[in-house]
Amino acid sequence: LPAMRWIFKATRASSRHSVLQGVTLRKCFALCVSCLIAAFAGGSLGFVGAGSIGKRWQSGEGSFGLTPYQLHGPPRAAASCLHGDWRVLAASAALVLLASGRARSRGASALRSRSICRGQVLDKVDQVGGRDKKPSEETASGKTADVEQGISSQAVSPGASKKADISADLSSDLDANKQSKQTPAQQSTEDADGLTTAMRFAGALWETFIDVATARPQRDGKPGWEYRKGIEGMSMGSMAYEMMTTSEDTKEYKNLSKEYEKSYGVPFLNLSARKITDSLRDFSRSVGLDGPWLTLVNLLQTVGLSADLVDGIPVQNKWIRIVQDSLQQFGEQDLAVGQRQVSALMQNMVMGRMERITGAPMPVFLEGYGQKQGIYKIIIGPRSVVVVSDPVILRQILGSSTEAYTKGILSEVLEPIMGKGLIPADPVTWRKRRRAIVPGFHKKWLEDTTKQFWECSTSLADDLQRSISLSATSIAEVNMEEKFTSASLDIIGKAIFDYEFRSVERESPIIQAVYNLLREAERRAQSVIPYWNLPGATSIFRDQKDHSENLMLINAVLDELIRNVVESPSEIDEKKRLSFLQYLVLTKGEDVTNRQLRDDLMTLLIAGHETTAAMLTWCLHELMKPENDKFLQEVKNEVDTVLQGRQPSYEHFQQLRALRLCLLETLRLYPEPPMLIRRCTDGSDVKVGPLCTDVKESSVNFLPGQDIFISVWSLHRSETIWGEDANKFNPHRWKEKIPGNGLWAGYNPDKAYSYPDERATDYAFLPFGAGSRKCVGDTFAILEAQAVFVALLQRFSFEAASEKGAVEMTTGATIHTAGGLNVRVSARTDQAAAVPVDVMQSSSVRRPAMEKKLGNSVAQRIEPEALVVPTPKELRMLFTAQKEDVRKLSPKPDMYEALESAYSQCQEVTKEHSKTFYLGSQVLEPEEQRTVWAIYNWCRSTDELVDGPEAANTTMEDLERWDEKLNNTFQLQKSLQQDGGDWSDLSLADSICKFSLIQRPFQDMVGGMAMDLVKFRYATFQELEVYCYRVAGTVGVMTLPVLGFDSLQNFTEELQEETIEAAMSLGTALQLTNILRDIGEDARRGRIYVPLEDLHRFGISEEEVLAASETPGLLHTEQKYRDFMEFQMARCEVYYQKAKGGIVGLSEVNRLGVMAALEVYGDILTRIRQNDYDNLSRRAYVPFADKMWLMGKAWLACQELKEVAQERIRSGRIFERRQA
């Protein structure tokens, strides 16, 4: 303690001294603590032995090599360091000043590394600099030269070779000071924190001890010190230094350690910071506290603990500055806007929507965030992730055992989806299932499956041909990403399941369900809080409810496919090709359950069609670029030359080398998936490669439980590996060798078998992963992609829709386009084009295009021939076409303020004029609420034209203008670009974009208003049915996309049409109920809506109805009127039953609101009966208490619908299709 006080005062008083210039109070304290620690460590290790030194000097022996353990032992030796005489204090002060000078010079010199080889805390020259930079040739300072001279002047001894190595290491260490090119200002501010200063000082002090312990200055012409112990006469300090600079894994180190313990009686004790942290790591793992240890390290590194003291992995915590800048920017804005943005930021972080936060897809963001470094760490409080893109590190990770590096987060987020499938399975299950699955992809099976590839690819080509035949210009504009996804699903269906999804011909809900499942998995991997594990999360969070429904859909499909094979197994016939599912069923053992089989198939379904579709999409995108036209022509010529218009075989595909190289180059630029995930289980030291230029050592350490993101995107686009054109599409690069770099062996095309995998590229190209858990369907995917491209290139030419702008990218586990790949497709006209004759003949007959809107005027819609109700099939086709049109739209401008104002006004209108409707909308999601408010606002405005205060002045011309305004609103490209437009039109246009609303029901409602304008009597029920659909059934069709189809209950087109018909029936039933309730009220306005043919059938005249509406007590007591009303209500109840049966097709979360409306409105018919059928002078209504009871009844009915839905799944009803 006296020594500490003296050092503190001395260093503080000497703050202006050149050696200690810039030392603050905080640094002084750090120096004192470091000196105390070093003194204790030195006494324990025998580095100094100040007590024995003093006694030896006083006795004149002058030996500096005797270990203090011979005299005092570790505690007394350490104490003697602190309580020695003035000589000891003087020597200690000199050592402190020298060490301070070294620490300061090292802080000022641009040392980039602190080489800590198994615990070494000595500053050394940056090894990275040795790889990238030429050594500086600046002249050494006088002091450095003196030290070097002192070291080099040591007498030659039997251990001279060892000492020469030590001298060389120390000389290279001191040469690092020559490389500094920083200014004094930079030197004074670098590493200014106390912890870094303390560690730097401790390292310099340690090195000073070693210099003194190993030096042999001359004294009066005689050797100053004698070496009495150790290998070849080494001192204890020099031997310790030798051990610290030798890897513990080597035989040399073991010999040194054995001799050290033999000579000095104690084992070597390494007290370096890295060694201490490594020991703590091993201890925490042994006692099961590796998780808390990793958490503690993350928290310490968040507040600034140097990576050099832990694992050597550079920390990139720029996210803190990003969040701070964002919050500062939010604070400078309007209060309401700032609060909204802060709320959105926090919500996106919790829900894992990192793409919204970063403004770029995650792979692109991580590449820029890490400044293209091969390894770095991102720490967010207690959690951290290491991002790796260096091939040398990846070789050690992916080449290790599955127990050493597990799937980690990936298994956690995929297990609810894929169960024990190959991707998330634990190592034990994975080994069993891989042995069962891999043999199924043998060459003979792939050869036989080529026919299925070609059939589905031809189906896609025929579909494009039909689209061209429907175009007036013989050029069809198509979203090829959607087409590729459908074709890939059909191929998986035929090859794996022997099932025809026919998604090319009809929209399949499986495609969207798979995409949503993968996107949810990506979000969960990036989420800060696992909120999906909360009890009742599927009821609280809409995204989790949708996720549950999507998972239920896929599981139901797979269960149905398995059931079909198990219940009707095919006889084994060598001449008949077995599907992969049949193979698994026939070869599964008793220990394999149907659940495990479904998990295996889930993996094949999800991973199979998504990745191939993405590869096809981006390959076509690259080939259509003008600068890549030469590659496209090369592929076309190859296809024409090899196939000559014939159907390809397995052998033909092997000859299409140019096409294969284009697909591989696509996988390099757009890897599927762009990121792999691993978790280090026990901790591991790994060597680093050429991309790790920021790493200060030759290796880094993964802590136990450390999550690792393998950025395949960054790896495949590294200019260090692939050259300056790494971001350009160049299939020819695969023909040439790429020389190695450091520990990376380079790329050798001679080692490529079917394609250049990790063996040929030394883990620089990972299109299907690598190592033992590599994708089992790699060859299947490449053959599938080749088949699709051949079928298209033989018959079509492709051109990018340039006016749509650049193709933007998004991710959902795989890389997708943000708005589809819109392409102009035309038939090839050159002689080499291969077009089957039957296709040409079928294409010559053009099919009539489906009209997306009514082309007649409003007046023409009330003509007798125009009084028709559209069929559910027509409306379904309109829904499908509208989705495609909306996807083709260019991104709309930022109109946040205008849209907020527009939707706010729609909300006020709804709240004021229909409290019941507004109350029902509160159960919807915010976006759904806003859309139904916009629809209600438009419908009310339309109804006001013929039923409002100014209705008497409304003419047909007013309706024509209103209809034209509607047409302009549906011209979305224009209506969303106009500034200062009508708020009602703006809200409706935005709703159309969000939910793909179709125009037909809106036009039909205007036609219904026209009927109200000119018709006061309806002769037949057919006319009344058209009217009811137009004024009420249309509302059901308008809101159907908002309320949502249940994807599972609408698996086939037939089921979708049933749901649409139910929506139309409910609207008709509600309007018929209104008509029957208000017969007297309408009659007083001169209108009779009930069919005149029905009145005449029951002997009732118009005059009787009009008179009874004015005189209470007339007509309703007569039996003929009661019979008439029962007939009308029975017809109405039929529509209610149709509607009730179709509610199961709605999204589960929205069934209750529709069921409640059905129950409450249906009860009005009961109230009419209770009023003794007097709807001529009285208005039937449902009291509030009864409404609450009916709401409970509706809830119970919805619970019954859940059972109905499950039964439809179990029975396979949802998969039934009508025969053509």
Side-chain angles (χ1 to χ4, degrees):
L1 293 180
M4 286 186 61
R5 287 195 294 269
W6 181 86
I7 295 171
F8 181 85
K9 293 179 180 180
T11 53
R12 186 59 177 162
S14 305
S15 60
R16 295 186 180 182
H17 190 272
S18 59
V19 176
L20 297 175
Q21 185 175 2
V23 177
T24 62
L25 180 63
R26 183 181 180 189
K27 289 186 178 181
C28 290
F29 179 75
L31 295 179
C32 295
V33 174
S34 301
C35 183
L36 179 63
I37 295 174
F40 270 112
S44 301
L45 295 172
F47 281 170
V48 181
S52 61
I53 293 170
K55 292 180 181 180
R56 303 288 287 182
W57 277 352
Q58 291 178 16
S59 63
E61 296 182 18
S63 176
F64 199 54
L66 280 178
T67 171
Y69 292 97
Q70 296 173 339
L71 301 176
H72 305 290
R76 296 183 61 187
S80 67
C81 292
L82 299 178
H83 299 286
D85 54 17
W86 65 270
R87 299 182 189 87
V88 177
L89 293 178
S92 299
L95 290 174
V96 169
L97 290 176
L98 180 58
S100 300
R102 288 191 173 195
R104 180 176 177 276
S105 62
R106 281 192 174 79
S109 64
L111 282 178
R112 296 180 181 82
S113 68
R114 185 169 289 113
S115 183
I116 309 176
C117 180
R118 291 288 184 178
Q120 179 184 351
V121 188
L122 302 179
D123 293 344
K124 305 200 85 176
V125 177
D126 183 12
Q127 299 299 326
V128 177
R131 291 193 295 264
D132 299 331
K133 304 173 180 62
K134 295 181 179 180
S136 173
E137 297 181 359
E138 296 181 11
T139 305
S141 64
K143 180 178 178 180
T144 302
D146 293 340
V147 175
E148 290 176 332
Q149 183 177 0
I151 295 175
S152 62
S153 64
Q154 299 179 72
V156 177
S157 69
S161 60
K162 291 283 184 182
K163 294 171 185 172
D165 294 338
I166 296 172
S167 176
D169 288 339
L170 291 174
S171 298
S172 63
D173 180 30
L174 296 170
D175 284 341
N177 295 330
K178 304 174 184 178
Q179 299 181 6
S180 175
K181 295 183 180 180
Q182 293 177 309
T183 65
Q186 292 173 325
Q187 295 173 4
S188 63
T189 58
E190 184 180 17
D191 295 338
D193 61 285
L195 180 60
T196 303
T197 302
M199 296 312 301
R200 182 183 297 133
F201 174 79
L205 185 62
W206 196 323
E207 183 182 343
T208 303
F209 293 155
I210 293 174
D211 284 350
V212 175
T214 57
R216 300 182 61 200
Q218 298 288 329
R219 294 184 61 184
D220 299 329
K222 298 180 181 180
W225 300 328
E226 297 291 338
Y227 293 92
R228 299 175 53 183
K229 296 281 185 180
I231 296 178
E232 299 177 351
M234 276 190 186
S235 70
M236 191 176 197
S238 60
M239 185 181 294
Y241 175 80
E242 191 72 11
M243 294 177 67
M244 292 170 61
T245 55
T246 304
S247 176
E248 294 182 4
D249 298 330
T250 62
K251 184 178 180 180
E252 182 181 3
Y253 177 88
K254 295 177 181 178
N255 292 335
L256 284 169
S257 178
K258 186 184 299 183
E259 185 65 24
Y260 185 98
E261 184 173 356
K262 177 181 177 181
S263 302
Y264 299 107
V266 291
F268 174 68
L269 181 61
N270 192 338
L271 292 180
S272 65
R274 275 288 294 276
K275 187 63 178 179
I276 292 174
T277 56
D278 288 348
S279 300
L280 289 173
R281 176 200 68 190
D282 297 338
F283 174 77
S284 65
R285 184 173 67 248
S286 64
V287 298
L289 296 177
D290 48 337
W293 168 246
L294 179 62
T295 301
L296 176 62
V297 170
N298 291 336
L299 292 173
L300 291 176
Q301 288 196 283
T302 300
V303 298
L305 178 65
S306 173
D308 297 338
L309 305 179
V310 183
D311 49 22
I313 302 175
V315 177
Q316 293 282 5
N317 271 357
K318 292 182 287 189
W319 67 268
I320 299 177
R321 174 59 59 186
I322 294 174
V323 173
Q324 289 176 345
D325 293 343
S326 299
L327 293 177
Q328 182 178 0
Q329 182 182 2
F330 298 160
E332 295 173 354
Q333 298 178 357
D334 180 73
L335 179 61
V337 176
Q339 290 177 345
R340 179 186 64 84
Q341 292 178 336
V342 170
S343 176
L345 175 65
M346 301 305 297
Q347 184 180 18
N348 290 333
M349 289 184 64
V350 170
M351 304 190 75
R353 298 168 180 163
M354 294 304 170
E355 189 170 329
R356 297 186 183 182
I357 299 175
T358 61
M362 186 53 61
V364 180
F365 170 75
L366 289 178
E367 182 183 26
Y369 186 90
Q371 298 176 341
K372 301 185 178 180
Q373 287 298 314
I375 185 170
Y376 63 93
K377 183 188 292 187
I378 301 176
I379 305 175
I380 304 178
R383 291 192 60 181
S384 67
V385 61
V386 174
V387 182
V388 179
S389 59
D390 181 81
V392 176
I393 300 178
L394 295 181
R395 183 202 311 141
Q396 299 167 80
I397 294 176
L398 299 177
S400 300
S401 67
T402 56
E403 288 82 2
Y405 291 92
T406 65
K407 292 296 185 78
I409 299 176
L410 187 65
S411 295
E412 295 170 4
V413 300
L414 285 183
E415 186 173 357
I417 301 175
M418 299 181 181
K420 296 295 183 180
L422 279 182
I423 294 179
D426 59 90
V428 176
T429 304
W430 170 81
R431 290 191 189 93
K432 294 180 180 179
R433 298 313 301 157
R434 185 178 178 88
R435 285 195 294 267
I437 292 175
V438 169
F441 287 101
H442 58 82
K443 181 179 178 182
K444 182 63 170 62
W445 184 81
L446 290 173
E447 291 176 353
D448 296 340
T449 307
T450 303
K451 181 179 179 181
Q452 276 67 37
F453 291 165
W454 185 250
E455 288 178 358
C456 296
S457 301
T458 303
S459 177
L460 171 61
D462 293 344
D463 183 72
L464 292 179
Q465 189 70 53
R466 284 189 290 269
S467 298
I468 293 174
S469 67
L470 295 175
S471 174
T473 60
S474 297
I475 298 178
E477 186 170 322
V478 182
N479 179 2
M480 287 305 300
E481 181 179 37
E482 182 182 90
K483 296 298 183 182
F484 284 141
T485 305
S486 299
S488 298
L489 179 61
D490 287 348
I491 290 175
I492 289 292
K494 288 286 291 182
I496 303 297
F497 306 110
D498 194 25
Y499 180 82
E500 293 186 5
F501 286 110
R502 291 190 288 179
S503 58
V504 168
E505 303 173 9
R506 59 179 73 189
E507 185 179 18
S508 174
I510 289 182
I511 294 176
Q512 192 63 34
V514 169
Y515 174 75
N516 290 336
L517 286 176
L518 290 176
R519 195 162 184 83
E520 175 65 19
E522 180 186 57
R523 289 177 50 241
R524 289 187 177 187
Q526 299 171 2
S527 176
V528 178
I529 300 175
Y531 66 95
W532 54 87
N533 290 330
L534 295 174
T538 55
S539 301
I540 300 173
F541 304 103
R542 178 61 182 272
D543 62 326
Q544 296 308 306
K545 178 62 180 176
D546 293 340
H547 174 71
S548 176
E549 292 178 353
N550 290 327
L551 189 58
M552 186 185 300
L553 167 63
I554 302 299
N555 284 332
V557 171
L558 294 176
D559 287 341
E560 175 69 11
L561 297 177
I562 294 173
R563 182 166 56 246
N564 291 338
V565 174
V566 172
E567 293 179 355
S568 56
S570 302
E571 295 182 1
I572 299 179
D573 185 354
E574 295 182 357
K575 297 182 180 180
K576 181 179 179 181
R577 173 195 170 273
L578 290 178
S579 69
F580 200 85
L581 173 57
Q582 291 171 325
Y583 161 77
L584 291 179
V585 170
L586 293 175
T587 59
K588 78 167 186 172
E590 295 181 356
D591 59 331
V592 179
T593 63
N594 282 351
R595 173 62 185 272
Q596 179 62 60
L597 197 60
R598 188 186 69 187
D599 293 342
D600 295 337
L601 296 174
M602 176 76 80
T603 303
L604 296 175
L605 174 64
I606 293 180
H609 92 274
E610 266 285 317
T611 54
T612 306
M615 173 170 54
L616 290 167
T617 300
W618 292 111
C619 186
L620 180 60
H621 167 67
E622 288 292 338
L623 289 175
M624 288 190 302
K625 292 182 178 180
E627 62 268 24
N628 297 330
D629 184 66
K630 59 181 179 180
F631 301 126
L632 177 60
Q633 297 306 320
E634 179 183 359
V635 173
K636 278 187 176 181
N637 294 335
E638 180 185 68
V639 170
D640 295 339
T641 302
V642 173
L643 297 178
Q644 298 180 359
R646 296 170 297 179
Q647 176 178 330
S649 64
Y650 180 84
E651 290 72 19
H652 286 141
F653 287 133
Q654 308 308 311
Q655 302 175 32
L656 300 177
R657 188 163 184 261
L659 175 57
R660 182 176 290 240
L661 293 182
C662 287
L663 293 172
L664 292 173
E665 181 69 356
T666 301
L667 287 176
R668 187 187 68 82
L669 289 175
Y670 306 94
E672 309 292 347
M675 202 180 312
L676 303 175
I677 299 178
R678 292 292 186 272
R679 175 177 291 162
C680 183
T681 55
D682 297 328
S684 176
D685 289 330
V686 295
K687 299 291 184 180
V688 299
L691 299 187
C692 303
T693 56
D694 275 2
V695 177
K696 300 176 181 179
E697 300 182 46
S698 61
S699 66
V700 295
N701 177 262
F702 290 132
L703 298 178
Q706 179 65 66
D707 288 316
I708 303 170
F709 281 7
I710 300 174
S711 180
V712 185
W713 172 276
S714 301
L715 171 68
H716 287 185
R717 289 175 176 257
S718 171
E719 295 182 0
T720 303
I721 294 176
W722 303 104
E724 296 180 354
D725 65 339
N727 289 307
K728 295 182 180 179
F729 184 82
N730 180 18
H732 291 172
R733 75 172 72 248
W734 299 105
K735 300 178 181 180
E736 302 175 357
K737 288 186 178 181
I738 300 178
N741 186 343
L743 296 179
W744 180 60
Y747 163 59
N748 186 356
D750 297 334
K751 294 183 179 180
Y753 178 54
S754 58
Y755 65 90
D757 57 6
E758 72 276 11
R759 293 167 293 184
T761 62
D762 194 21
Y763 287 81
F765 181 53
L766 309 175
F768 299 97
S772 56
R773 302 202 72 158
K774 182 179 178 180
C775 175
V776 298
D778 49 355
T779 304
F780 179 94
I782 292 178
L783 287 174
E784 176 187 354
Q786 284 182 301
V788 174
F789 255 113
V790 168
L792 299 185
L793 294 178
Q794 280 185 327
R795 296 166 56 178
F796 304 107
S797 297
F798 300 91
E799 178 185 358
S802 57
E803 71 274 6
K804 303 300 180 183
V807 177
E808 297 183 0
M809 189 178 74
T810 186
T811 56
T814 55
I815 304 177
H816 296 264
T817 66
L821 182 65
N822 297 302
V823 178
R824 293 193 182 95
V825 185
S826 59
R828 286 179 59 179
T829 56
D830 56 283
Q831 295 181 352
V835 182
V837 177
D838 57 339
V839 174
M840 287 293 294
Q841 292 175 349
S842 63
S843 301
S844 61
V845 180
R846 296 193 172 185
R847 300 182 182 182
M850 180 65 193
E851 294 294 336
K852 298 177 182 178
K853 65 177 182 178
L854 296 174
N856 52 9
S857 65
V858 177
Q860 292 173 333
R861 294 174 203 169
I862 60 176
E863 298 295 330
E865 60 274 10
L867 296 179
V868 293
V869 176
T871 64
K873 182 178 181 178
E874 291 174 337
L875 294 175
R876 177 187 57 78
M877 295 173 63
L878 289 176
F879 281 128
T880 303
Q882 183 69 351
K883 289 181 181 179
E884 181 64 25
D885 289 345
V886 170
R887 276 196 289 261
K888 292 179 182 179
L889 292 175
S890 300
K892 59 185 180 181
D894 185 12
M895 306 177 67
Y896 173 78
E897 296 295 339
L899 287 173
E900 286 294 308
S901 176
Y903 280 120
S904 178
Q905 294 184 69
C906 291
Q907 179 183 9
E908 291 301 322
V909 170
T910 307
K911 189 174 182 180
E912 178 182 355
H913 296 283
S914 181
K915 291 181 174 56
T916 302
F917 187 84
Y918 179 78
L919 181 62
S921 68
Q922 297 306 300
V923 301
L924 303 177
E925 290 293 305
E927 291 297 335
E928 296 172 349
Q929 289 179 355
R930 289 150 65 100
T931 299
V932 297
W933 294 337
I935 292 174
Y936 176 85
N937 174 73
W938 185 89
C939 293
R940 176 171 177 77
S941 299
T942 304
D943 185 68
E944 288 288 309
L945 293 174
V946 296
D947 201 22
E950 302 295 329
N953 301 323
T954 301
T955 63
M956 190 62 70
E957 287 72 18
D958 295 327
L959 293 179
E960 295 286 0
R961 285 192 292 270
W962 184 255
D963 190 62
E964 182 61 28
K965 184 180 180 183
L966 177 68
N967 288 333
N968 294 334
T969 302
F970 270 85
Q971 298 297 320
L972 301 176
Q973 203 64 60
K974 297 179 180 179
S975 60
L976 289 175
Q977 302 289 339
Q978 297 175 354
D979 294 331
D982 182 80
W983 60 269
S984 178
D985 296 340
L986 181 61
S987 60
L988 183 60
D990 186 66
S991 299
I992 295 169
C993 283
K994 288 178 178 176
F995 292 94
S996 300
L997 307 182
I998 59 177
Q999 187 173 355
R1000 178 64 184 273
F1002 290 88
Q1003 290 184 304
D1004 284 340
M1005 178 170 280
V1006 177
M1009 298 304 106
M1011 295 176 70
D1012 253 340
L1013 190 65
V1014 299
K1015 289 183 70 68
F1016 299 94
R1017 301 290 189 275
Y1018 291 86
T1020 64
F1021 179 73
Q1022 188 270 335
E1023 289 184 0
L1024 181 62
E1025 184 183 29
V1026 172
Y1027 172 77
C1028 290
Y1029 157 73
R1030 287 184 172 181
V1031 300
T1034 51
V1035 178
V1037 180
M1038 292 175 190
T1039 56
L1040 194 53
V1042 186
L1043 299 180
F1045 290 97
D1046 183 288
S1047 55
L1048 191 56
Q1049 301 300 321
N1050 293 274
F1051 184 77
T1052 64
E1053 293 177 346
E1054 291 80 4
L1055 292 175
Q1056 294 176 27
E1057 292 168 12
E1058 289 181 8
T1059 304
I1060 295 172
E1061 183 178 13
M1064 299 168 64
S1065 297
L1066 179 59
T1068 301
L1070 297 179
Q1071 185 61 25
L1072 285 175
T1073 301
N1074 283 335
I1075 290 173
L1076 296 179
R1077 180 194 61 189
D1078 300 333
I1079 288 180
E1081 181 179 337
D1082 292 333
R1084 286 189 289 273
R1085 296 167 51 212
R1087 296 175 178 271
I1088 297 179
Y1089 286 99
V1090 291
L1092 296 181
E1093 64 178 3
D1094 292 342
L1095 288 175
H1096 297 159
R1097 179 185 304 175
F1098 289 93
I1100 303 173
S1101 64
E1102 299 179 38
E1103 291 73 16
E1104 288 180 286
V1105 174
L1106 296 174
S1109 65
E1110 298 292 344
T1111 307
L1114 295 181
L1115 191 58
H1116 73 88
T1117 58
E1118 299 182 27
Q1119 187 61 39
K1120 62 178 181 180
Y1121 186 78
R1122 297 187 178 193
D1123 293 341
F1124 166 78
M1125 285 301 303
E1126 284 295 338
F1127 176 79
Q1128 299 298 324
M1129 288 188 288
R1131 176 190 283 161
C1132 184
E1133 287 169 349
V1134 170
Y1135 282 94
Y1136 275 121
Q1137 290 302 317
K1138 288 183 180 180
K1140 191 172 185 177
I1143 293 178
V1144 69
L1146 294 178
S1147 177
E1148 184 178 340
V1149 295
N1150 293 322
R1151 290 173 188 166
L1152 179 59
V1154 178
M1155 183 66 74
L1158 184 149
E1159 293 289 349
V1160 172
Y1161 253 82
D1163 194 64
I1164 292 178
L1165 301 180
T1166 303
R1167 304 297 166 173
I1168 293 176
R1169 292 186 177 98
Q1170 292 177 355
N1171 289 344
D1172 198 24
Y1173 299 96
D1174 185 7
N1175 53 359
L1176 298 172
S1177 59
R1178 298 176 62 183
R1179 181 184 178 94
Y1181 69 95
V1182 180
F1184 179 78
D1186 290 346
K1187 285 183 179 180
M1188 294 298 99
W1189 180 82
L1190 291 170
M1191 287 289 290
K1193 184 180 178 182
W1195 184 84
L1196 292 175
C1198 288
Q1199 304 310 305
E1200 294 177 359
L1201 283 182
K1202 290 184 180 180
E1203 294 298 326
V1204 172
Q1206 292 297 324
E1207 177 57 31
R1208 285 159 61 109
I1209 296 172
R1210 287 190 295 267
S1211 65
R1213 164 78 173 80
I1214 63 172
F1215 303 103
E1216 294 179 0
R1217 294 191 176 107
R1218 288 193 296 264
Q1219 297 296 325

